[in-house]
Amino acid sequence: MPFLHTARTVFTVLGGLYVATVVLLTIPYFQTHTLFLHAVSIPWFSNFDIPEKYGLAPNKTINLKIQTADNETLGAWFVLSDPHYHSLPAVPSQPIDYIPAALKGRPTILFFHGNAATRAFNARIQHYSLFSSRLSANVLAIDYRGFGDSTGSPTEAGLALDARAAWNWLITNGATADQILIVGHSLGTGVSALLSAQLSDEKISPRGVVLLSPFSSIAKVLETYSILGVVPLMKPLAMIPWVAGAFSPPPHLLALRRRIELVKRTIIHRFDTEALVPRMKGSILIAHAENDWEIPYTHSEALFDTFLDPLLPSSPSFPSNTLSQDEWATFTEQFSKRKEAREEIVTTVELHNFGTVQECMESGRRVVLLKTLAGGHDYLGVQEGVQDVIGRTFGFFD
Ligand SMILES: *[C@@H]1O[C@H](CO)[C@@H](O)[C@H](O)[C@H]1NC(C)=O
Ligand SMILES: *[C@@H]1O[C@H](CO)[C@@H](O)[C@H](O)[C@H]1NC(C)=O
């Protein structure tokens, strides 16, 4: 039976690789590399001195170095807004001289990219291009420590310092807080949340925060993440009864089971945005594509609900005695009260063939959830419709 034999070999190899992956993830070195993927430095051998090579107009983008509080040096690009760039009589010979005037003239988007690749990655260039044209905004895009031409290696606390250094750089060069919109994509939404919470604690109010394709926390991502959108990482483990603790595993699997439980307990870089929500003040836009196969849009729904939570009656607890009619009646009543309260504070607008905007006005700030039909994980933010929702929510067209 050569076929069966081959099939068994294939499954043994795949199973072995899978187990090896899970085991490796409990080792800090591998966990850090798997999360940040900063070694995947696409485009390879980027020349950050020549943004033109990646599609940006001549001398519209200035290559910079930004110093962090702990002495790392970050590579960064400052992109002039198109209205400012076009108002110059010719291609500027010293574009760096125009930064202070650009910061005073138009709002600036402080952009935090996702994991892997550099600030020169094509999908990111498309974001800067649209931010500076459709939204007429300046853009500051940094590579975190360990990414691109930046020094150091990434950690959660380190990325928070990088974000703050970029913010401080804008303020030092003449931007005001209310002119800076913080925009994060994917892993960058975790960074944006950290910066937003820190600024809110200091009573500093940016123009707002945009979370593109966010996740609620790395622990929750592990539960739903699929490698390349295909191989679910934790799901097979959750489905094996002994992993869930229902049965004792055979002795030789005990060690593996312990490793698996460790993966979730040993997460080093937690990026727990959900836990930061109560500290994040000011207006928030959360956007997610329904066809995002890397991070499902349920993460955004969960985040939006966390923002609404203080405005709603508490979630009812499931009846402890499922046979009690009284308990069921109380449960149903509390449930529908919460649903009604939610409908009262959230307005929903369907944008035909594009998506749905849910919005809640709360003590002077707007909390918006945009769900789109298209865009996937990386190209959500380069849809004109998404740019326009950003522009309208944060007054870029006024
Ligand atoms: C940062 O580097 C500079 C020069 O390289 C040095 O003088 C300074 O002491 C360093 N600061 C910290 C906090 O390491
Ligand atoms: C672009 O700026 C650099 C200096 O930053 C300058 O040397 C170069 O001549 C400029 N290019 C053009 C076309 O003016």
Side-chain angles (χ1 to χ4, degrees):
M1 281 286 167
F3 170 74
L4 273 186
H5 183 77
T6 312
R8 205 164 59 204
T9 309
V10 168
F11 276 110
T12 308
V13 169
L14 285 181
L17 281 176
Y18 177 69
V19 169
T21 307
V22 171
V23 170
L24 283 178
L25 278 180
T26 63
I27 302 168
Y29 175 85
F30 289 101
Q31 205 184 97
T32 295
H33 273 270
T34 309
L35 173 65
F36 295 106
L37 290 175
H38 50 295
V40 185
S41 197
I42 297 170
W44 301 103
F45 311 108
S46 301
N47 187 342
F48 297 104
D49 281 325
I50 315 177
E52 292 78 3
K53 191 174 152 190
Y54 306 97
L56 295 158
N59 279 4
K60 174 176 141 170
T61 301
I62 300 124
N63 192 25
L64 301 163
K65 298 284 183 209
I66 294 177
Q67 211 63 30
T68 69
D70 61 342
N71 254 0
E72 299 294 353
T73 304
L74 308 178
W77 276 352
F78 185 86
V79 187
L80 296 170
S81 77
D82 272 355
H84 195 85
Y85 179 73
H86 289 146
S87 73
L88 304 171
V91 172
S93 60
Q94 289 302 331
I96 200 160
D97 295 345
Y98 293 94
I99 291 177
L103 288 172
K104 286 208 167 60
R106 285 295 304 169
T108 296
I109 287 177
L110 176 52
F111 185 74
F112 297 119
H113 68 58
N115 70 354
T118 74
R119 65 188 182 281
F121 184 57
N122 181 268
R124 293 169 191 164
I125 301 271
Q126 290 185 39
H127 281 81
Y128 320 149
S129 195
L130 271 174
F131 288 149
S132 58
S133 57
R134 198 166 183 90
L135 297 185
S136 303
N138 311 295
V139 182
L140 179 65
I142 62 162
D143 265 315
Y144 315 112
R145 59 190 61 200
F147 287 73
D149 54 346
S150 301
T151 62
S153 49
T155 61
E156 181 179 10
L159 265 56
L161 287 174
D162 298 346
R164 187 54 191 255
W167 171 275
N168 289 351
W169 185 91
L170 286 173
I171 300 292
T172 306
N173 282 277
T176 53
D178 65 317
Q179 288 284 71
I180 305 172
L181 179 69
I182 299 167
V183 179
H185 171 245
S186 194
L187 181 73
T189 62
V191 179
S192 303
L194 286 166
L195 177 61
S196 160
Q198 190 188 84
L199 294 172
S200 299
D201 291 351
E202 296 173 29
K203 308 263 181 289
I204 301 171
S205 312
R207 195 179 195 90
V209 177
V210 179
L211 306 177
L212 301 172
S213 323
F215 53 87
S216 45
S217 71
I218 291 296
K220 296 239 167 71
V221 173
L222 266 181
E223 286 167 14
T224 56
Y225 189 73
S226 295
I227 299 164
L228 300 173
V230 181
V231 188
L233 192 60
M234 299 303 269
K235 232 185 214 140
L237 300 171
M239 285 178 339
I240 308 170
W242 54 260
V243 173
F247 302 103
S248 285
H252 67 282
L253 288 176
L254 257 175
L256 173 65
R257 171 180 158 171
R258 279 201 211 98
R259 280 283 182 178
I260 291 159
E261 284 165 355
L262 263 180
V263 175
K264 278 183 81 174
R265 251 185 284 128
T266 56
I267 300 173
I268 317 164
H269 316 287
R270 310 199 73 88
F271 289 105
D272 194 346
T273 300
E274 203 156 34
L276 292 172
V277 163
R279 282 169 57 200
M280 297 168 68
K281 311 296 177 202
S283 291
I284 309 275
L285 166 63
I286 304 166
H288 220 120
E290 281 180 9
N291 68 343
D292 185 333
W293 306 123
E294 282 179 58
I295 298 175
Y297 67 84
T298 48
H299 282 264
S300 280
E301 289 183 329
L303 282 175
F304 185 62
D305 279 353
T306 309
F307 276 104
L308 298 187
D309 213 46
L311 308 174
L312 298 175
S314 54
S315 291
S317 42
F318 201 73
S320 51
N321 177 2
T322 47
L323 296 177
S324 154
Q325 266 189 15
D326 284 351
E327 281 193 33
W328 271 112
T330 317
F331 173 76
T332 329
E333 194 192 317
Q334 287 174 342
F335 188 83
S336 48
K337 269 211 183 112
R338 190 172 154 95
K339 192 163 163 259
E340 278 166 27
R342 194 183 192 284
E343 278 163 10
E344 254 170 52
I345 58 170
V346 176
T347 57
T348 304
V349 178
E350 297 273 348
L351 300 170
H352 188 58
N353 287 343
F354 171 67
T356 313
V357 183
Q358 293 181 63
E359 175 165 354
C360 169
M361 248 315 198
E362 174 237 343
S363 52
R365 74 145 161 194
R366 305 169 73 172
V367 180
V368 183
L369 173 64
L370 164 63
K371 242 191 299 174
T372 66
L373 301 175
H377 186 67
D378 284 342
Y379 294 88
L380 166 76
V382 297
Q383 298 175 90
E384 294 187 342
V386 173
Q387 294 271 327
D388 287 355
V389 173
I390 296 175
R392 279 196 291 270
T393 304
F394 297 101
F396 282 62
F397 304 137
D398 301 348

